[in-house]
Amino acid sequence: SKTHVVIASFKRAQSELAHHQQKIFKIDNHMCIGIAGLTADARVLAEYMRNECLNHRYVYDSPMNVGRLVSQVADKSQTKTQNSSKRPYGVGLLIAGVDEKGPHLFETCPSGISNEYYAMAIGGKSTSAKTYLEKHFATFPDVDLDALIQHALEAMNKTTSSDQPLTEKNTAVAILGVGNGGDFRELPVDELTKFLDKLEKKDEPDATMDAAAPAAAAPAEGGDGAAPMDTA
């Protein structure tokens, strides 16, 4: 919106025994990233971005411009595609930040392409989320923070199956805002629960046809299967 930018992530677990993977990384008080792809590569880029922000703040005593850092990350990613002895970074980034011009949302690709968006979704089944965002993004600039968070969660809810609902364990939401009090923060569990409870309910899969199939295949009660051959 005109005052805030929100990133929501779906944290997958490799197995029931594994902890849910972190998908949102803080870069600076005014910037964070959401990732889709190889977490190891994301950590390398996150460390690079943090160092650039620290160096800029040390030299200029001000936070780093979001667009400038995005361009540097895109150039770093593109360089990896020029040599056959190196592989590209296997991760896409959504970079959210706030500067003197307001909130920003950028996407970078392993190819080195970067673009700024009003709203964007990346990762598995992101097409469903993009469809939702395309229908509603025109209202985003003027909505309040609560509505913006709800839109982000509704879009992400479109990417999951009916038997895999969004919960406090597999969902994370980060917020950045303009002015004082707008520094990076993640929604605590009690606040996140309020928004998850408002999500649109998904239809349960229809089991009528599955139940009817065995019944159709079974012989009629009292019968012995196929009709006897007429030998007359």
Side-chain angles (χ1 to χ4, degrees), residues 110-124:
S111 61
I113 297 174
S114 64
N115 292 292
E116 185 172 5
Y117 292 91
Y118 294 108
M120 188 57 180
I122 60 175

Side-chain angles (χ1 to χ4, degrees), residues 20-223:
H20 290 82
Q21 291 183 335
Q22 182 182 2
K23 293 290 186 177
I24 297 178
F25 296 86
K26 178 183 177 181
I27 302 301
D28 202 349
N29 288 335
H30 71 296
M31 193 184 312
C32 69
I33 62 173
I35 70 166
L38 299 179
T39 306
D41 287 357
R43 287 201 299 267
V44 172
L45 290 176
E47 189 66 24
Y48 167 77
M49 296 172 72
R50 288 169 182 150
N51 287 334
E52 290 298 307
C53 286
L54 285 172
N55 293 336
H56 189 279
R57 192 177 291 273
Y58 179 78
V59 173
Y60 299 103
D61 194 26
S62 64
M64 188 166 190
N65 181 272
V66 181
R68 184 181 305 166
L69 183 56
V70 170
S71 296
Q72 291 180 210
V73 172
D75 291 342
K76 186 178 179 68
S77 299
Q78 201 279 330
T79 302
K80 290 285 188 177
T81 69
Q82 297 180 8
N83 299 322
S84 59
S85 60
K86 298 180 180 179
R87 67 168 180 81
Y89 291 111
V91 63
L93 305 180
L94 281 181
I95 304 174
V98 177
D99 56 24
E100 65 277 2
K101 295 182 180 179
H104 300 279
L105 180 65
F106 293 88
E107 180 203 12
T108 66
C109 301
S111 61
I113 297 174
S114 64
N115 292 292
E116 185 172 5
Y117 292 91
Y118 294 108
M120 188 57 180
I122 60 175
K125 300 181 181 179
S126 59
T127 303
S128 301
K130 290 178 185 177
T131 301
Y132 176 89
L133 294 172
E134 288 170 357
K135 292 179 180 179
H136 298 86
F137 82 95
T139 64
F140 291 171
D142 299 316
V143 300
D144 58 17
L145 177 58
D146 288 352
L148 203 62
I149 296 173
Q150 197 66 45
H151 278 302
L153 291 174
E154 288 288 359
M156 193 166 67
N157 193 38
K158 303 294 184 184
T159 67
T160 60
S161 57
S162 58
D163 59 345
Q164 193 176 38
L166 298 183
T167 66
E168 296 83 358
K169 291 184 178 180
N170 63 21
T171 305
V173 175
I175 304 168
L176 291 163
V178 298
N180 295 328
D183 290 349
F184 170 89
R185 73 181 182 97
E186 282 197 46
L187 276 188
V189 173
D190 55 342
E191 291 186 40
L192 182 58
T193 303
K194 297 177 183 177
F195 293 102
L196 293 176
D197 291 340
K198 298 177 184 177
L199 289 178
E200 180 182 349
K201 302 301 180 182
K202 296 183 178 181
D203 295 332
E204 294 295 329
D206 189 3
T208 304
M209 294 302 296
D210 294 338
E221 185 177 354

